[in-house]
Amino acid sequence: MDFKKASAYIESLYEKRKLTQKQYIETTELKDFGPVIDDDVARMLQVLITLVRPRRILEIGTSVGFSTVSMAKAVKSYGGKITTIEFDAKVAKQAIKNFEREKVAGQIEVRIGDAREIIPILTEEYDLIFQDVGDKNLYAALFDDCVRLLKPAGLLVAEDTLFPVTLFPVFKWVKMREALAEFNKKVADCPLLESTLLPIGDGFTVAVKRE
Ligand SMILES: C[S@@+](CC[C@H](N)C(=O)[O-])C[C@H]1O[C@@H](n2cnc3c(N)ncnc32)[C@H](O)[C@@H]1O
């Protein structure tokens, strides 16, 4: 399949959507922040949320909050809540501003701090966990905790999981490729999860915790 052609066609179908990544970035005052999800991943998150109706969502890696807002718009109708973790206070402050502008601040709790320290001490369970942290070593390092924190039938989703094959195998990307490859193996081999990896965004893993 010609993915470029397919992707252009799919985006043309959805170009009238209200909230696009481009508009979101243009209306964000801060210009230096971690990359946010593509529109196809935003739509996938919204489809999954509409299907599963998760009441409690945990997001690891907020940046300026495009993914958080995309999810919040889908959970708002039934009162779902999102906790999102970001360790860069300046970026988190911009995200909070964006949540107010998009009228979804009531759905979202922002925790400013290091996911490596916050996740292991969490005890509440979640219906959906979205792993999108900038430090890609944390995907594998926090994997067991993510599975522990998921309710039975809960969803673990993760962005950038095709990096092992899409990033050029040059020195500066080697560590990132390896980190994602380790995470992908953990997901695929985990007997507690039913999972797949979709070729949208930079690779999007969808895993359901078996009941
Ligand atoms: C890819 S961006 C998140 C994009 C966001 N999910 C979206 O699509 O709108 C990753 C973010 O993770 C943050 N980050 C990196 N290491 C972190 C850590 N150890 N704990 C918490 N946040 C971290 C970065 O500052 C960055 O803003």
Side-chain angles (χ1 to χ4, degrees), residues 34-37 59 61-63 65-68 85-88 91 113-116 130 132-136 138 160:
V36 302
I37 53 168
E59 176 180 59
T62 317
S63 185
F66 176 58
S67 55
T68 329
I85 303 174
E86 172 60 55
F87 77 170
D88 182 334
V91 166
D114 192 333
R116 192 187 290 271
F130 176 37
D132 192 23
V133 73
D135 178 353
K136 298 303 171 193
L138 294 190
D160 296 334

Side-chain angles (χ1 to χ4, degrees), residues 17 19-21 24 37-39 41-43 45-47 49 59 65-76 82 99 102 104 108:
R17 263 179 109 242
L19 182 74
T20 64
Q21 187 218 54
Y24 191 87
I37 53 168
D38 293 323
D39 290 324
V41 173
R43 289 194 300 269
L45 284 167
Q46 292 179 329
V47 167
I49 288 170
E59 176 180 59
F66 176 58
S67 55
T68 329
V69 168
S70 302
M71 293 192 287
K73 288 194 183 277
V75 302
K76 201 173 175 182
I82 303 170
F99 301 157
E102 295 293 336
V104 289
I108 303 165

Side-chain angles (χ1 to χ4, degrees), residues 17-202:
R17 263 179 109 242
K18 284 195 193 97
L19 182 74
T20 64
Q21 187 218 54
K22 189 169 175 284
Q23 291 160 341
Y24 191 87
I25 288 173
E26 281 170 3
T27 43
T28 293
E29 295 86 347
L30 189 72
K31 294 300 165 204
D32 184 20
F33 50 83
V36 302
I37 53 168
D38 293 323
D39 290 324
D40 54 359
V41 173
R43 289 194 300 269
M44 189 66 197
L45 284 167
Q46 292 179 329
V47 167
L48 290 173
I49 288 170
T50 306
L51 181 72
V52 175
R53 291 173 74 86
R55 297 212 72 81
R56 293 176 46 78
I57 295 177
L58 176 66
E59 176 180 59
I60 315 173
T62 317
S63 185
V64 289
F66 176 58
S67 55
T68 329
V69 168
S70 302
M71 293 192 287
K73 288 194 183 277
V75 302
K76 201 173 175 182
S77 62
Y78 62 85
K81 297 280 181 205
I82 303 170
T83 299
T84 184
I85 303 174
E86 172 60 55
F87 77 170
D88 182 334
K90 199 161 82 180
V91 166
K93 223 170 123 194
Q94 176 68 62
I96 292 166
K97 230 170 147 183
N98 290 350
F99 301 157
E100 280 155 12
R101 187 192 69 224
E102 295 293 336
K103 301 186 176 40
V104 289
Q107 311 308 127
I108 303 165
E109 178 207 5
V110 181
R111 297 199 51 180
I112 302 175
D114 192 333
R116 192 187 290 271
E117 288 160 17
I118 296 172
I119 301 282
I121 55 172
L122 290 179
T123 51
E124 306 117 296
E125 291 189 321
Y126 294 87
D127 304 291
L128 188 155
I129 298 177
F130 176 37
Q131 176 57 279
D132 192 23
V133 73
D135 178 353
K136 298 303 171 193
N137 293 310
L138 294 190
Y139 277 51
L142 298 176
F143 173 75
D144 288 343
D145 276 311
C146 287
V147 176
R148 170 181 66 81
L149 292 169
L150 261 191
K151 283 186 190 161
L155 284 179
L156 172 63
V157 292
E159 163 66 345
D160 296 334
T161 50
L162 277 177
F163 274 0
V165 289
T166 56
L167 287 183
F168 285 115
V170 291
F171 180 71
K172 75 171 187 171
W173 300 124
V174 166
K175 285 265 180 309
M176 232 188 232
R177 286 171 59 109
E178 285 172 1
L180 266 308
E182 189 189 347
F183 172 77
N184 289 343
K185 217 170 156 350
K186 276 181 186 279
V187 173
D189 293 348
C190 180
L192 297 174
L193 299 177
E194 193 68 51
S195 67
T196 191
L197 201 172
L198 305 173
I200 60 171
D202 287 302

